[in-house]
Amino acid sequence: MGSAWTARLLPWVVGLAAGVLALGPALGRGFVLRYDMVFVPDLPMRGVLADAEGFPRAIPSDVVVAALSSVVPGDLVQSLALLLVFVLGGAGAARLVMWLLPPAGGLTAGTAVAAVVAGIAYVWNPFVAERLLLGQWAVLLGYGGLPWVVVATARLAERTPGRGLAGLVCALIPAAVGGFSSVLLSALAAGPVALCLRGPCALRWWARAGLFTSALVLVSLPWLVPSLAGGAVTDPRGAEAFAPRADIPFGVLGSLLALGGVWNAGAVPPGYGEPVTALLRLALSVAALTAWVWWMLRHDRPVFGTGLSVGAAVGFTIALAGATGTGRGVVAGLIELWPGFGPLRDAQLYVAPLGLVQALGAAFVVWWGAGRAGAGVFAALLPVVVLPGLLWGAGGRLEPVGYPDAWVRAQAEVAADDVPGSVVVLPWSAYRGLDWSGETTVALDPATKLFDRRTVWNDDLSVGTPDGGTVVVEGEDPLAAQVAGVLDTDPATGTPRGEDLAAELGALGARYVAVSDPVDNGFWFEGQGFEVVSQGSEMTLLRVPEARVKADKPVITGLEVTGGLVTVGAIIWSVARSGSSLVLQCPGPRAGRSTRKEIPT
């Protein structure tokens, strides 16, 4: 009984411990704002669902956050979301090892240490650190769910089609919340597994592929439907802007092999580029990959080993191609043909399956040398030793802050107005430096998510290149381009050229202008027809008179509502049908053990 409880609890303890050590102060009260990670007080559901053109990148992650924020404070929702990345990922990788290496007489020390090694290695690596510092928590939530998706896909070998589909949908819940990038990573990691399962299987490959595709579509409907119907465009120059870059002294190839290489230098964890730690990190990655190859050559290799290896190899190839001129040219050409190829721009993202392969390889080394307990403990701590920059809020980079009172008052003012119309957010720049905590932090302007209606902001993105240049990736919202024309400034005065900004913006459907930065003087908006709702050093809120606003109340199409309801219904059905939740889902059989053909659910 004691061994059984240890086997159940150990993976979750590993994930929880890793999360607390990595996040540290970020779990305190207040909001952690960094690059794409923007949580606001009482995130309004109406604002999230407001009709905006372009890819619905905030759906369904912001919808889930808004729903939870109606029950508990928004900063606690953020803490829970960040902690879940580590808990799900660490526990998933650890449980995966305990499934692959089940001892005949209960949990042994060797298997337990191997599970701990896998759990820590999977969530404590440059990929997690850099994506966390980029603020891409939703992507990481999908990354944390990859081990669960791989297990659910492998269990298609023993399940009926109904239970197999239910298990897949259940395992894909983190990816469903994470959105399109998370679903793509799940498809990359587990799609080949569905095609390449080893040993006897109740379903043919085409049936497994059909079930896997159906599960992906079911969890993708909330963002897939508006994407296909919205006519969004994607700038091909993003292939150049988001190309992988070297973040250690061993070039792009070495950086990607070590699970780093992110395009934004500001997302590299502290101290990661130092030669000694970088060399140790690269050596750890190579050793883990070598162990995985060795494992794959054994007769008792994982049932999903071939498929996961294919997924990791394809993902690494995509990432490496993004670092070459030819590869970027191909991606840019594909995007010009169809905007749906846009996610390939951020090529480094696709090393994620390689992270799972390396975690399992490291665990196999420890299990194979199970008698060397001291070496196992050292291996478990090695990922932390070679990447100390992730420790305790990434060296203080993930510090929570509170929103100024002026922002909260502006949010309430807009919410109390029943006149339709959007909010134009100024300064006209996507990202800005926030110094509320006394230390400047770069983040997407939180005002873009603060209000209960559509916000219009400059979604162009300027990215510096290694040669000192700048690539401007055009935004996806056509209305933003129209507003930019109205706000075009006169170089001589630095003020908008228009003589009646309120009328011009109102004609484009704007009701408010929110200036989320100190205004040195009011010259640029005085005499422009605005009503000043509030004015202060932290937020200035201007209102367009109702008579000048030409806007309809935003509506959500019946097709989008239906898609969301289908996904929610599929998730509820999957939990009930599989007889488990994501958390309690039992692992399946181990390949090569005829005495363990199935494990009861």
Side-chain angles (χ1 to χ4, degrees):
M1 180 65 71
S3 177
W5 274 107
T6 300
R8 286 179 177 272
L9 295 178
L10 180 63
W12 304 105
V13 172
V14 170
L16 181 61
V20 171
L21 286 175
L23 297 172
L27 299 175
R29 297 306 302 267
F31 296 87
V32 178
L33 305 174
R34 186 171 178 87
Y35 287 106
D36 295 339
M37 182 160 53
V38 174
F39 286 68
V40 299
D42 303 318
L43 179 66
M45 183 70 75
R46 285 176 55 191
V48 175
L49 298 177
D51 184 25
E53 299 184 38
F55 287 113
R57 301 183 185 277
I59 294 177
S61 57
D62 277 2
V63 174
V64 174
V65 171
L68 293 176
S69 296
S70 65
V71 181
V72 297
D75 57 342
L76 296 183
V77 174
Q78 182 183 29
S79 297
L80 175 62
L82 294 178
L83 195 58
L84 272 177
V85 169
F86 292 87
V87 172
L88 284 177
R95 285 172 63 88
L96 193 54
V97 168
M98 294 169 68
W99 169 42
L100 294 174
L101 306 171
L107 184 66
T108 64
T111 303
V113 174
V116 171
V117 168
I120 294 177
Y122 186 62
V123 296
W124 204 289
N125 57 56
F127 180 86
V128 173
E130 292 179 346
R131 292 292 161 175
L132 181 62
L133 288 174
L134 269 181
Q136 296 181 351
W137 67 272
V139 171
L140 287 177
L141 192 61
Y143 172 82
L146 288 186
W148 304 90
V149 179
V150 169
V151 169
T153 306
R155 296 201 71 184
L156 292 175
E158 65 179 56
R159 288 183 163 182
T160 62
R163 292 202 67 190
L165 179 62
L168 278 171
V169 172
C170 190
L172 283 166
I173 291 175
V177 176
F180 70 97
S181 292
S182 296
V183 173
L184 287 178
L185 290 183
S186 298
L188 178 62
V193 173
L195 300 176
C196 304
L197 283 177
R198 186 174 64 87
C201 186
L203 300 174
R204 296 183 179 273
W205 70 266
W206 51 266
R208 300 195 301 268
L211 286 175
F212 187 79
T213 302
S214 299
L216 290 180
V217 171
L218 283 173
V219 301
S220 301
L221 289 176
W223 60 263
L224 186 60
V225 171
S227 293
L228 296 176
V233 295
T234 302
D235 191 346
R237 284 175 291 187
E240 175 70 26
F242 304 131
R245 304 181 188 180
D247 51 15
I248 58 176
F250 306 104
V252 177
L253 176 61
S255 298
L256 293 174
L257 198 60
L259 303 180
V262 75
W263 54 271
N264 190 332
V268 178
Y272 176 57
E274 297 297 326
V276 174
T277 55
L279 179 60
L280 289 173
R281 173 64 219 176
L282 183 59
L284 181 62
S285 299
V286 172
L289 282 175
T290 303
W292 174 259
V293 172
W294 183 23
W295 196 358
M296 288 296 298
L297 296 177
R298 292 163 57 100
H299 72 279
D300 60 345
R301 62 186 179 272
V303 66
F304 56 79
T306 300
L308 182 58
S309 298
V310 170
V314 171
F316 187 78
T317 301
I318 294 174
L320 194 59
T324 66
T326 301
R328 293 192 295 270
V330 171
V331 171
L334 291 173
I335 293 173
E336 289 177 344
L337 289 175
W338 183 48
F341 287 110
L344 294 177
R345 301 181 303 176
D346 191 356
Q348 190 266 349
L349 180 69
Y350 299 97
V351 301
L354 186 63
L356 182 56
V357 166
Q358 291 187 10
L360 295 178
F364 180 72
V365 172
V366 173
W367 178 78
W368 181 74
R372 304 172 180 86
V377 174
F378 176 76
L381 296 177
L382 192 57
V384 181
V385 173
V386 301
L387 189 59
L390 181 56
L391 193 65
W392 208 244
R397 295 189 183 186
L398 302 177
E399 289 283 350
V401 297
Y403 278 86
D405 292 339
W407 283 61
V408 179
R409 289 195 300 269
Q411 183 188 47
E413 289 278 1
V414 174
D417 186 7
D418 59 0
V419 177
S422 61
V423 179
V424 175
V425 176
L426 299 178
W428 193 245
S429 175
Y431 293 83
R432 52 168 296 194
L434 303 174
D435 56 2
W436 301 335
S437 63
E439 194 169 314
T440 302
T441 300
V442 178
L444 178 69
D445 195 330
T448 61
K449 295 188 177 185
L450 189 67
F451 304 103
D452 67 341
R453 55 185 71 202
R454 181 180 179 182
T455 55
V456 184
W457 45 284
N458 183 6
D459 58 346
D460 292 349
L461 182 61
S462 297
V463 180
T465 58
D467 59 4
T470 301
V471 175
V472 178
V473 182
E474 293 184 359
E476 300 168 350
D477 187 355
L479 180 57
Q482 293 179 277
V483 171
V486 172
L487 297 174
D488 184 34
T489 58
D490 185 343
T493 63
T495 58
R497 298 177 188 271
E499 297 181 355
D500 193 348
L501 288 180
E504 293 185 60
L505 292 176
L508 295 177
R511 171 62 167 165
Y512 287 94
V513 174
V515 186
S516 57
D517 209 30
V519 178
D520 293 335
N521 61 70
F523 174 74
W524 70 269
F525 64 79
E526 290 176 354
Q528 295 285 348
F530 291 109
E531 300 170 350
V532 179
V533 179
S534 62
Q535 185 175 0
S537 60
E538 300 292 353
M539 171 74 73
T540 295
L541 186 64
L542 310 174
R543 183 166 54 217
V544 178
E546 181 177 356
R548 298 190 175 191
V549 180
K550 297 179 180 179
D552 298 322
K553 289 187 176 181
V555 295
I556 305 173
T557 67
L559 190 60
E560 293 178 11
V561 172
T562 301
L565 291 177
V566 169
T567 297
V568 173
I571 291 174
I572 295 173
W573 168 81
S574 72
V575 173
R577 180 69 176 82
S578 64
S580 66
S581 66
L582 174 70
V583 173
L584 299 178
Q585 202 173 40
C586 293
R590 178 196 176 192
R593 288 287 183 98
S594 59
T595 58
R596 292 177 59 91
K597 292 187 178 179
E598 80 175 18
I599 294 178
T601 54

